[in-house]
Amino acid sequence: MKRIRRLAALAAAVVVVMTLSACGGLAGDKVKDDGQVYLQGLLDNLYLGQQNQDYLDLFEMSAGDASQEYADGLEAEAYRFAYTFGIDDLSGEVETQIEEVLKEAYKNAKYTIQSSTKLESGNYAMEVEIQPIDVMIRITDDDLVTAWEQTMEQFGVTQEEVTAMSDEEYFPLDHHYAGLVLDQVRANLEHVGYEPAVTVTMTLQKDDEGYYDFSQDDFDRLDAKIMPYVSD
């Protein structure tokens, strides 16, 4: 299907969905406590759009900085959404609509920092319990195929005709398809459920300059559990 042809380009835009705060890491004799403030504040801001003052103070961030961090996270997640569901064009209102749906979905995020333990290495392991939101994984491949078939029927075209279209001709179909997918997510949001709780370990690692920070790999694993797009 033609709507798959641009996925490679979109994939490059979603390599990093969660971005680490540009803070340079933590240092000093309160790393364990500050690490919990850091992680709680970052998660609350990225998923809930909630600005915790102790998080802002820790990194000398303004409310505007935190708002930009939240907006950047939504934008990156919109590309992940598009990549996952085969939406090619995020111009016009499509990206805005996706971000609005994501805002509503992430309001249901549930996570709890359970513990923080200093390791023999001097690093700190923080256990986060997550209840994965199920609104995305309830959308099946059959649902997507049906949405695409309905789109072609709406426009009165065949798959062969779609394949021969220019971008200008094709994007109205893509936008219609995106709207059908978003309608499915909105319907799922009316009855939000959760997958069984999982625990993710986040490790505050000390670098060569003596600063502590979480790895991008840890954040990627955590992010994949908050609202998964595929079942384990």
Side-chain angles (χ1 to χ4, degrees), residues 49-80:
Q50 173 183 309
Q51 299 179 6
N52 299 346
Q53 191 59 49
D54 51 358
Y55 172 61
L56 301 184
D57 292 343
L58 182 63
F59 296 121
E60 299 181 350
M61 295 172 64
S62 67
D65 293 334
S67 295
Q68 187 61 55
E69 182 177 71
Y70 177 61
D72 289 345
L74 279 177
E75 182 180 19
E77 186 67 15
Y79 276 89
R80 177 186 178 191

Side-chain angles (χ1 to χ4, degrees), residues 81 87 89 94 98 151 173-183:
F81 181 98
I87 298 166
D89 182 42
V94 176
I98 292 174
T151 296
L173 280 77
D174 187 65
H175 295 173
H176 185 272
Y177 166 77
L180 294 179
V181 175
L182 286 169
D183 284 345

